[in-house]
Amino acid sequence: MIIVLKPEATEQDIQHISGKLQENGLKVHISKGAERTIIGAIGDDRVLAGLPLAIFPGVESVHKILQPFKLVSREFKKEDTVIRFPNGVTIGGPEIQVMAGPCAVESDEQLLYIAERVKSAGAKILRGGAFKPRTSPYTFQGLGEEGLHHLSMAREKTGLLVITELMDPRDLPLLEKHTDIIQIGARNMQNFRLLSDVGESRKPVLLKRGLSATIKEFLMAAEYIASRGNQQIILCERGIRTFETMTRNTLDLNAVPVLKSLTHLPVLVDPSHGTGRWDLVIPMARAGIAAGGDALMIEVHNNPEEAYSDGEESLIPDNFDKLMKECRKIAAAVDRFIAE
Ligand code: PEP
Ligand code: MN
């Protein structure tokens, strides 16, 4: 439920309404705009139906949030969410951010070389998996904690922000120490325990769409995180399973404008996993920006032939330079920009 207050509503009115909602076991989110205050009440619809909110002092109107996702919906918050990092980097504003790096952290030299190359091309965020969700238990599973130390080192040496995947809630304190953004992978999109735990973290979360998740399920997963208090969520379209076999997944670019209309959260496009083919990454990165994406995630490897994972979809650094140049033109065409 959204309770819109009159411009003249007082602090006392706000306290009175919030108190009544909380007494009834509802969660309260207050957003104070320049003109008026809006109170979001989240919880059991039956309890809400029993409260005569419209006649409370200071209340102008009461609206039901029709979507099953509440906190993440545009109905709840009209303005785009912009995630701001202490070094000034933003995700969700006019600047399009690019996260780039290897699928997996393989060594400190590999990571540092790629980090420097993607930085000089204009990326501000370094990606790299330390805990890898692999289909086969016999393939490389990631360097684990050692990989996190390499990420920290690269962050310190380059000033790039760092993102890496969390697979197990027990590793959350470690990730909080070594990374700036926590990634929840496609295979864990509905791991509700993991979602609730990152919902209690103060770090921004990149939530990847599940391999066969509908947009509604995707947003309900985001709602799990938001409902625990963390609303710094970036949604990632990374391709879904279809009957098509020419590509690893089908990058669902419809999802970008659909998400932008349903939610205030920033949307990121991952054409690397979305296609599974390095030769399709540049065109689909361009398309992702044209469709309204706020950010990109791109896998880059110095030697894709020898990569421990996802070599077939990784760009060599020279091609990443090309991607950035081409994407800058598309960004300008849609009134956005990618910094040099
Ligand atoms: C990844 O980013 O390397 C990854 C494993 O992605 P996804 O969860 O989208 O498969
Ligand atoms: Mn990968």
Side-chain angles (χ1 to χ4, degrees):
M1 206 73 89
I2 293 179
I3 304 143
V4 181
L5 302 191
K6 292 179 180 154
E8 67 271 19
T10 63
E11 194 52 43
Q12 207 184 346
D13 294 337
I14 299 172
Q15 291 309 324
H16 174 67
I17 299 163
S18 314
K20 265 282 168 350
L21 294 168
Q22 280 159 344
E23 263 171 43
N24 282 278
L26 300 163
K27 276 206 173 131
V28 175
H29 297 263
I30 300 175
S31 96
K32 289 190 176 161
E35 294 262 308
R36 56 185 79 223
T37 297
I38 293 174
I39 301 181
I42 310 291
D44 190 333
D45 284 350
R46 289 166 302 181
V47 175
L48 278 164
L51 280 171
L53 292 165
I55 59 164
F56 277 40
V59 173
E60 182 170 279
S61 55
V62 179
H63 309 268
K64 194 168 161 43
I65 303 177
L66 298 172
Q67 298 289 1
F69 37 90
K70 311 287 181 194
L71 297 171
V72 305
S73 75
R74 275 259 185 230
E75 290 174 87
F76 181 70
K77 180 171 174 261
K78 295 228 167 357
E79 322 76 59
D80 288 342
T81 287
V82 180
I83 297 174
R84 295 171 200 282
F85 294 87
N87 66 354
V89 169
T90 58
I91 301 178
E95 179 176 354
I96 288 172
Q97 290 301 344
V98 183
M99 307 179 180
C103 179
V105 177
E106 297 172 10
S107 70
D108 52 357
E109 300 85 18
Q110 171 242 20
L111 188 66
L112 191 59
Y113 175 75
I114 297 172
E116 277 165 352
R117 289 294 309 262
V118 300
K119 182 183 174 185
S120 69
K124 294 183 181 166
I125 304 167
L126 175 67
R127 64 145 287 144
F131 299 96
K132 294 302 303 174
R134 305 303 303 283
T135 301
S136 165
Y138 306 118
T139 54
F140 178 61
Q141 305 287 304
L143 293 180
E145 189 172 343
E146 184 193 336
L148 297 179
H149 286 281
H150 297 333
L151 283 164
S152 268
M153 171 279 300
R155 171 166 67 170
E156 217 163 280
K157 291 202 171 150
T158 60
L160 291 168
L161 295 170
V162 157
I163 173 167
T164 199
E165 177 166 351
L166 175 71
M167 293 211 302
D168 185 327
R170 289 171 294 188
D171 297 321
L172 181 56
L174 256 182
L175 256 78
E176 284 180 319
K177 195 164 130 209
H178 292 285
T179 69
D180 303 288
I181 308 173
I182 295 169
Q183 175 171 327
I184 300 294
R187 290 155 193 82
N188 274 315
M189 188 204 82
Q190 284 186 315
N191 181 339
F192 298 116
R193 172 67 198 268
L194 202 54
L195 299 177
S196 296
D197 283 10
V198 295
E200 276 163 24
S201 171
R202 306 297 294 269
K203 295 272 176 182
V205 176
L206 176 83
L207 178 65
K208 290 191 133 195
R209 181 177 181 184
L211 279 69
S212 55
T214 64
I215 290 173
K216 198 196 261 182
E217 288 162 342
F218 188 19
L219 288 169
M220 291 310 286
E223 186 77 12
Y224 261 88
I225 302 172
S227 68
R228 290 300 182 113
N230 188 351
Q231 302 197 18
Q232 302 204 85
I233 306 163
I234 306 146
L235 299 170
C236 169
E237 166 54 45
R238 48 77 71 203
I240 49 174
R241 278 277 168 91
T242 68
F243 52 80
E244 185 53 69
T245 54
M246 286 292 172
T247 48
R248 179 179 177 183
N249 291 297
T250 296
L251 185 65
D252 178 14
L253 287 182
N254 292 348
V256 178
V258 171
L259 286 167
K260 294 297 292 181
S261 74
L262 291 174
T263 173
H264 51 85
L265 297 174
V267 177
L268 174 148
V269 176
D270 171 354
S272 302
H273 295 89
T275 63
R277 286 175 43 176
W278 73 268
D279 59 323
L280 303 182
V281 170
I282 295 181
M284 296 316 283
R286 290 192 310 235
I289 294 173
D294 299 294
L296 294 173
M297 174 174 265
I298 308 292
E299 286 189 337
V300 177
H301 199 283
N302 50 315
N303 185 3
E305 260 180 51
E306 304 274 328
Y308 293 178
S309 59
D310 288 351
E312 61 287 355
E313 66 194 36
S314 298
L315 293 184
I316 54 170
D318 286 352
N319 282 333
F320 181 67
D321 291 343
K322 193 162 166 248
L323 177 145
M324 293 295 273
K325 284 199 186 91
E326 294 191 15
C327 285
R328 280 193 183 97
K329 292 186 198 156
I330 306 292
V334 292
D335 292 334
R336 311 283 293 266
F337 70 96
I338 299 176
E340 292 288 337

